Amino acid sequence: MFDVASSLQRIKSTLPEGVELIAVSKFHPNEYLEIAYQQGQRVFGESHVQELTAKAKTLPTDIQWHFIGHLQTNKVKYIAPFITMIGAVDSLRLLHEINKQALKNNRVIEVLLELHIAEEETKYGFRLDECRQMLEEGEWREMKGIHIAGLMMMASNTDNEEQIRQEMMIAADFFDEVKEKFFANDPQFRERSWGMSDDYPIAIACRSTMVRVGTAIFGERIY
Ligand SMILES: *Cc1c(COP(=O)(O)O)cnc(C)c1O
């Protein structure tokens, strides 16, 4: 069995203060999450609604669940009662639906806007100009059930570290731009979520505040 406890401790020891670790537990059994929980980990990331709701029902209730993958609008209702953060909002339509479902549950759900910077067409997210335009149009300001807590991105899946660094720096610079233009008076707009198992050290150098690490904690996923 993969040594979850020591992998988790090893990674935590390398993270500077101010960088939060999301333990990405998708496709791993409850048993693995429980080991991480016993080590003090409380923030877990999942990317499939059914799997997440099943885990949330059976695991300790003080776990903070982050939905980190692509979320279909028609599935928001299943996670709205308990989700802490929805980490990859890639359309205004999804933002409206999260707001609606949050209000139904008398909650405010934290969200991150997902940027599409990587070269791959397969990745989701707003292009920078789309994101600017959405923020300028301002519908989000009327949504009392959501709070935009920052930005998220995934770098290209490549061995070229310089490319990864460049993409993450584009995101970091864009964060500064929108922070100043739209969130200057909102200290809760604060998160820069980039970095996964293979690139989180680069992400930290590129001002990430929230790394999403799966394989390096739990081992290879068995799909
Ligand atoms: C699965 C996933 C991760 C974690 O990936 P690892 O390479 O296993 O660390 C991070 N972010 C998102 C959005 C994911 O879907």
Coordinates of all heavy atoms in Angstrom, one line a residue, residues 110-143:
E110 N -17.7 29.7 -2.0 CA -16.5 30.3 -2.5 C -16.2 29.7 -3.9 O -16.4 28.5 -4.1 CB -15.3 30.0 -1.6 CG -15.5 30.5 -0.2 CD -14.6 31.7 0.1 OE1 -13.8 32.2 -0.8 OE2 -14.7 32.1 1.2
V111 N -15.9 30.5 -4.8 CA -15.5 30.0 -6.2 C -14.2 30.6 -6.7 O -13.8 31.7 -6.3 CB -16.6 30.3 -7.2 CG1 -18.0 29.8 -6.8 CG2 -16.8 31.8 -7.5
L112 N -13.6 29.9 -7.6 CA -12.4 30.4 -8.3 C -12.8 30.4 -9.8 O -13.4 29.5 -10.3 CB -11.2 29.5 -8.1 CG -10.7 29.3 -6.6 CD1 -9.5 28.3 -6.6 CD2 -10.4 30.6 -6.0
L113 N -12.3 31.4 -10.4 CA -12.5 31.5 -11.9 C -11.4 30.8 -12.6 O -10.2 31.0 -12.2 CB -12.6 33.0 -12.4 CG -13.7 33.8 -11.7 CD1 -13.6 35.3 -12.2 CD2 -15.1 33.3 -12.0
E114 N -11.7 29.9 -13.5 CA -10.7 29.1 -14.2 C -10.2 29.9 -15.4 O -11.0 30.3 -16.3 CB -11.2 27.7 -14.6 CG -10.1 26.9 -15.3 CD -10.5 25.5 -15.6 OE1 -11.7 25.1 -15.4 OE2 -9.6 24.7 -16.0
L115 N -8.9 30.0 -15.6 CA -8.3 30.7 -16.7 C -7.8 29.6 -17.7 O -7.3 28.6 -17.3 CB -7.2 31.6 -16.3 CG -7.4 32.7 -15.3 CD1 -6.2 33.4 -15.0 CD2 -8.5 33.6 -15.9
H116 N -8.0 29.9 -19.0 CA -7.4 29.0 -20.0 C -6.2 29.7 -20.6 O -6.4 30.6 -21.4 CB -8.5 28.7 -21.1 CG -8.0 27.7 -22.1 ND1 -8.8 26.8 -22.8 CD2 -6.8 27.6 -22.7 CE1 -8.1 26.1 -23.6 NE2 -6.8 26.6 -23.6
I117 N -5.1 29.3 -20.1 CA -3.8 29.8 -20.6 C -3.0 28.8 -21.4 O -2.3 29.1 -22.3 CB -3.0 30.4 -19.4 CG1 -3.8 31.6 -18.8 CG2 -1.6 30.9 -19.9 CD1 -3.3 32.1 -17.5
A118 N -3.1 27.6 -21.0 CA -2.4 26.5 -21.6 C -2.7 26.4 -23.1 O -3.7 26.8 -23.5 CB -2.7 25.1 -20.9
E119 N -1.7 25.8 -23.8 CA -1.9 25.8 -25.3 C -2.9 24.7 -25.7 O -3.5 24.8 -26.8 CB -0.6 25.5 -25.9 CG 0.1 24.2 -25.5 CD 1.5 24.0 -26.1 OE1 2.0 24.9 -26.7 OE2 2.0 22.9 -25.9
E120 N -3.2 23.7 -24.8 CA -4.1 22.6 -25.3 C -5.5 23.1 -25.4 O -6.0 23.9 -24.6 CB -4.1 21.5 -24.2 CG -2.8 20.7 -24.1 CD -2.2 20.7 -22.7 OE1 -2.8 20.1 -21.8 OE2 -1.2 21.4 -22.5
E121 N -6.2 22.7 -26.5 CA -7.6 23.0 -26.7 C -8.5 22.3 -25.7 O -9.6 22.7 -25.5 CB -8.0 22.7 -28.1 CG -7.5 23.7 -29.1 CD -7.9 25.1 -28.8 OE1 -9.0 25.3 -28.4 OE2 -7.1 26.0 -29.0
T122 N -8.0 21.2 -25.1 CA -8.8 20.3 -24.3 C -9.2 21.0 -23.0 O -10.1 20.6 -22.3 CB -8.2 19.0 -24.0 OG1 -6.9 19.3 -23.5 CG2 -8.1 18.2 -25.3
K123 N -8.4 22.0 -22.6 CA -8.6 22.5 -21.2 C -9.7 23.5 -21.2 O -10.0 24.2 -22.2 CB -7.3 23.2 -20.7 CG -6.2 22.1 -20.5 CD -5.3 22.5 -19.3 CE -4.6 21.3 -18.7 NZ -3.5 20.7 -19.6
Y124 N -10.4 23.5 -20.1 CA -11.6 24.4 -19.9 C -11.1 25.8 -19.4 O -9.9 26.0 -19.1 CB -12.5 23.9 -18.9 CG -13.2 22.6 -19.4 CD1 -12.8 21.4 -18.9 CD2 -14.3 22.7 -20.2 CE1 -13.5 20.2 -19.3 CE2 -15.0 21.6 -20.6 CZ -14.6 20.3 -20.2 OH -15.2 19.2 -20.6
G125 N -12.0 26.7 -19.3 CA -11.6 28.0 -18.7 C -11.9 29.2 -19.5 O -12.1 29.1 -20.8
F126 N -11.9 30.4 -18.9 CA -12.0 31.6 -19.6 C -10.7 32.0 -20.2 O -9.6 32.0 -19.6 CB -12.4 32.8 -18.6 CG -13.7 32.7 -18.0 CD1 -13.9 32.2 -16.7 CD2 -14.8 33.1 -18.6 CE1 -15.1 32.1 -16.1 CE2 -16.1 33.1 -18.0 CZ -16.2 32.6 -16.8
R127 N -10.7 32.5 -21.5 CA -9.6 33.2 -22.0 C -9.5 34.5 -21.2 O -10.5 35.0 -20.7 CB -9.8 33.5 -23.5 CG -9.9 32.3 -24.4 CD -8.6 31.6 -24.6 NE -8.7 30.4 -25.4 CZ -7.7 29.6 -25.7 NH1 -6.5 29.9 -25.3 NH2 -7.8 28.6 -26.4
L128 N -8.3 35.1 -21.2 CA -8.1 36.3 -20.4 C -9.1 37.4 -20.7 O -9.7 38.1 -19.9 CB -6.7 36.8 -20.4 CG -5.6 35.8 -20.0 CD1 -4.3 36.6 -19.9 CD2 -6.0 35.2 -18.6
D129 N -9.3 37.6 -22.0 CA -10.2 38.7 -22.4 C -11.6 38.4 -22.1 O -12.4 39.3 -21.7 CB -10.0 39.1 -23.9 CG -10.0 37.9 -24.8 OD1 -10.1 36.8 -24.3 OD2 -10.0 38.1 -26.1
E130 N -12.0 37.1 -22.2 CA -13.4 36.7 -21.8 C -13.6 37.0 -20.3 O -14.7 37.4 -19.8 CB -13.6 35.2 -22.0 CG -13.7 34.8 -23.4 CD -13.7 33.3 -23.5 OE1 -13.4 32.6 -22.6 OE2 -14.1 32.8 -24.6
C131 N -12.6 36.7 -19.5 CA -12.6 36.8 -18.0 C -12.8 38.3 -17.7 O -13.6 38.7 -16.9 CB -11.4 36.2 -17.4 SG -11.6 36.2 -15.6
R132 N -11.9 39.1 -18.3 CA -12.0 40.6 -18.1 C -13.4 41.1 -18.4 O -14.0 41.9 -17.7 CB -11.1 41.3 -19.1 CG -9.7 41.5 -18.6 CD -8.9 42.4 -19.6 NE -7.5 42.2 -19.4 CZ -6.8 41.4 -20.2 NH1 -7.3 40.9 -21.3 NH2 -5.5 41.2 -19.9
Q133 N -14.0 40.6 -19.6 CA -15.3 41.1 -20.0 C -16.4 40.7 -19.1 O -17.2 41.5 -18.7 CB -15.5 40.6 -21.4 CG -16.8 41.2 -22.1 CD -17.1 40.5 -23.4 OE1 -16.3 39.8 -24.0 NE2 -18.3 40.8 -23.9
M134 N -16.3 39.5 -18.6 CA -17.3 39.0 -17.6 C -17.2 39.8 -16.4 O -18.3 40.2 -15.8 CB -17.0 37.5 -17.4 CG -18.1 36.7 -16.8 SD -18.1 36.7 -15.0 CE -16.7 35.6 -14.7
L135 N -16.0 40.1 -15.9 CA -15.9 40.9 -14.7 C -16.4 42.3 -14.9 O -17.1 42.9 -14.0 CB -14.5 40.9 -14.1 CG -14.0 39.5 -13.6 CD1 -12.5 39.5 -13.4 CD2 -14.8 39.2 -12.3
E136 N -16.1 42.9 -16.1 CA -16.5 44.2 -16.4 C -18.1 44.3 -16.5 O -18.7 45.3 -16.0 CB -15.9 44.7 -17.7 CG -14.8 45.7 -17.5 CD -13.8 45.7 -18.6 OE1 -14.2 45.5 -19.8 OE2 -12.6 45.8 -18.4
E137 N -18.7 43.3 -17.0 CA -20.1 43.4 -17.2 C -20.8 43.4 -15.8 O -21.9 43.9 -15.7 CB -20.6 42.2 -18.1 CG -20.3 42.6 -19.6 CD -20.5 41.4 -20.5 OE1 -20.8 40.3 -20.1 OE2 -20.3 41.6 -21.7
G138 N -20.2 42.7 -14.9 CA -20.6 43.0 -13.5 C -21.8 42.2 -12.9 O -22.2 42.5 -11.8
E139 N -22.4 41.2 -13.7 CA -23.5 40.5 -13.2 C -23.1 39.8 -11.8 O -24.0 39.6 -11.0 CB -24.0 39.4 -14.2 CG -24.8 40.0 -15.3 CD -25.2 38.9 -16.3 OE1 -25.7 37.8 -15.8 OE2 -25.0 39.1 -17.5
W140 N -21.9 39.4 -11.7 CA -21.4 38.7 -10.5 C -21.6 39.5 -9.3 O -21.7 38.9 -8.2 CB -19.9 38.3 -10.7 CG -19.0 39.4 -11.0 CD1 -18.8 40.0 -12.2 CD2 -18.3 40.1 -10.0 NE1 -17.9 41.1 -12.0 CE2 -17.6 41.2 -10.7 CE3 -18.1 40.0 -8.6 CZ2 -16.7 42.1 -10.1 CZ3 -17.2 40.9 -8.0 CH2 -16.5 41.9 -8.7
R141 N -21.6 40.8 -9.4 CA -21.7 41.7 -8.2 C -23.1 41.5 -7.5 O -23.2 41.8 -6.4 CB -21.5 43.1 -8.6 CG -20.1 43.5 -9.1 CD -20.0 45.0 -9.3 NE -18.8 45.3 -10.0 CZ -17.6 45.5 -9.5 NH1 -17.5 45.4 -8.2 NH2 -16.6 45.8 -10.2
E142 N -24.1 41.1 -8.3 CA -25.4 40.9 -7.8 C -25.7 39.5 -7.2 O -26.7 39.3 -6.6 CB -26.5 41.1 -8.9 CG -26.3 42.4 -9.7 CD -26.3 43.6 -8.8 OE1 -27.0 43.7 -7.8 OE2 -25.4 44.5 -9.1
M143 N -24.7 38.7 -7.3 CA -24.9 37.3 -6.9 C -24.5 37.1 -5.4 O -23.3 37.1 -5.1 CB -24.1 36.3 -7.7 CG -24.4 36.4 -9.2 SD -23.4 35.2 -10.2 CE -23.7 35.8 -11.8

